[in-house]
């Protein structure tokens, strides 16, 4: 059974029913004795009301006019049940216990939590000693440095260049073969991209190989350092040192082309 809300037109029509709205009362349907706007009314009662008005020569109350503005009736929620005596006693006991705990915390506050350094005063020195004992001894163990970041950046730029080259070759072949059929253009583009990728890898491998060979050659050449001349200048030998410098300035010694000499 569908219940609708009573509108002003339905309320006015109920007042025009001969012998009152009691004639529309059915078993199991809402009562119409004390009805108001928004009260529930069944769809069958509205049909009976319309038939009675039509028989009583009140044809102005059509079904459309009666249902205009009506909505499905939603009954109000049931009232909240009254809590039992056991529930009230339990809530009162819990409130008393919470008040007692709050008062206990107020008169006896909890001491602040100790930190690790307060609990173990000697831990700071132990941590420093442990860090000093386990300090890295080699430069390679110091973690990432500028060389590592430069290597990562170089690898990323290399991958980016590979992708740009492959995509550029693919786009060029696709545009040049615009008069071909679509399958032929696809195969041509894929083949050209694969060839470009293989060529890029081959060039990079050759470049890395040449770098390795150059490093090996550099390691074969040993740098020889030779002390050409030494002297010690002290406070007591200042005059001798000045004379030596003056002689060197006046009479330059023939120098080997592979040696360098700094003059002051």
């Amino acid at each position: 059974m569908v219940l609708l809300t009573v509108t002003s037109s339905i309320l006015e029509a109920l007042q025009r029913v001969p012998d009152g709205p009691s004639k529309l009362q059915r078993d199991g349907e809402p009562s119409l004795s004390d009805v108001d706007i928004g009260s529930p009314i069944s769809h069958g009662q509205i049909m009976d009301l319309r038939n009675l008005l039509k028989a009583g020569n009140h044809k102005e109350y059509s079904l459309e006019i009666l249902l205009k503005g009506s909505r499905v009736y939603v009954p109000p929620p049931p009232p909240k049940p009254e809590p039992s005596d056991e529930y009230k006693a339990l809530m009162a006991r819990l409130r008393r216990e919470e008040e007692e705990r709050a008062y206990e915390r107020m008169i006896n506050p909890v001491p602040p939590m100790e930190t690790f350094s307060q609990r173990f005063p000697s831990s700071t020195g132990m941590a420093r000693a442990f860090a000093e004992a386990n300090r890295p001894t080699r430069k390679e163990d110091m973690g990432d440095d500028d060389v590592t970041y430069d290597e990562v950046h170089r690898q990323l730029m290399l991958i980016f260049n590979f992708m740009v080259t492959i995509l550029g070759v693919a786009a060029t072949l696709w545009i040049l073969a615009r008069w071909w059929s679509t399958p032929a253009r696809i195969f041509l583009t894929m083949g050209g991209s694969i060839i470009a990728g293989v060529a890029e890898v081959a060039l990079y491998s050759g470049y890395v190989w040449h770098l390795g060979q150059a490093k090996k050659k550099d390691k074969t050449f040993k740098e020889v350092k030779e002390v050409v001349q030494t002297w010690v200048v002290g406070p007591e030998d200042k005059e001798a040192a000045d004379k030596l410098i003056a002689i060197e300035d006046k009479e330059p010694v023939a120098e080997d082309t592979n040696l360098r000499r700094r003059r002051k």
Side-chain angles (χ1 to χ4, degrees):
M1 180 177 59
V2 179
L3 296 180
L4 303 174
T5 57
V6 175
T7 61
S8 58
S9 58
I10 293 176
L11 185 61
E12 183 180 354
L14 288 174
Q15 295 174 358
R16 295 179 179 273
V17 173
D19 301 333
S22 59
K23 297 177 62 175
L24 304 174
Q25 192 66 42
R26 296 182 181 181
D27 295 336
E29 293 186 349
S31 175
L32 300 176
S33 59
D34 190 12
V35 69
D36 197 0
I37 296 176
S39 300
I41 185 172
S42 66
H43 186 266
Q45 290 174 331
I46 295 176
M47 294 298 296
D48 294 341
L49 175 62
R50 180 232 179 203
N51 294 332
L52 287 175
L53 293 175
K54 188 176 181 181
N57 201 17
H58 293 285
K59 298 181 179 180
E60 66 273 10
Y61 293 101
S62 63
L63 184 61
E64 181 182 358
I65 294 177
L66 293 175
L67 292 176
K68 186 176 182 180
S70 181
R71 298 181 179 180
V72 177
Y73 176 75
V74 179
K80 188 176 181 179
E82 185 70 18
S84 61
D85 296 337
E86 292 81 1
Y87 177 78
K88 293 179 180 179
L90 176 62
M91 294 302 296
R93 182 173 61 84
L94 293 176
R95 291 192 187 95
R96 288 196 303 270
E97 292 177 355
E98 180 61 26
E99 290 176 357
E100 292 176 359
R101 287 194 293 268
Y103 180 74
E104 185 68 22
R105 288 194 299 268
M106 183 178 62
I107 60 177
N108 296 320
V110 180
M113 186 177 296
E114 292 182 340
T115 61
F116 184 79
S117 59
Q118 293 175 350
R119 182 67 178 84
F120 302 99
S122 61
S123 61
T124 305
M126 294 174 61
R128 291 178 180 175
F130 180 80
E132 185 67 23
N134 294 272
R135 185 176 61 181
T137 57
R138 296 182 303 175
K139 187 178 180 180
E140 293 79 5
D141 299 334
M142 296 299 292
D144 295 336
D145 51 4
D146 294 338
V147 177
T148 304
Y149 292 128
D150 292 341
E151 183 68 19
V152 172
H153 182 266
R154 187 176 65 84
Q155 296 293 338
L156 291 177
M157 291 304 298
L158 181 65
I159 295 173
F160 177 74
N161 290 333
F162 278 10
M163 295 301 297
V164 169
T165 303
I166 294 172
L167 293 177
V169 171
T172 303
L173 293 176
W174 181 266
I175 294 173
L176 292 177
R178 58 182 176 272
W179 292 286
W180 294 14
S181 61
T182 303
R185 294 177 70 185
I186 292 175
F187 282 114
L188 178 63
T189 304
M190 292 180 61
S193 301
I194 293 172
I195 294 173
V198 172
E200 288 283 345
V201 173
L203 290 175
Y204 180 71
S205 301
Y207 171 72
V208 172
W209 181 79
H210 282 294
L211 284 181
Q213 294 296 323
K215 289 182 180 179
K216 290 181 181 179
K217 290 181 180 179
D218 291 339
K219 291 181 180 179
T220 56
F221 294 102
K222 294 183 180 180
E223 184 179 359
V224 179
K225 297 181 180 180
E226 182 180 357
V227 179
V228 179
Q229 185 179 3
T230 60
W231 65 88
V232 178
V233 179
E236 65 278 2
D237 300 332
K238 186 176 181 181
E239 296 179 359
D242 294 338
K243 292 180 180 180
L244 179 61
I245 295 173
I247 292 172
E248 289 182 353
D249 291 337
K250 292 178 180 179
E251 299 178 358
V253 182
E255 298 178 353
D256 192 358
T257 55
N258 295 328
L259 300 179
R260 295 182 180 178
R261 185 164 59 88
R262 181 181 297 176
R263 292 186 177 182
K264 296 183 180 180

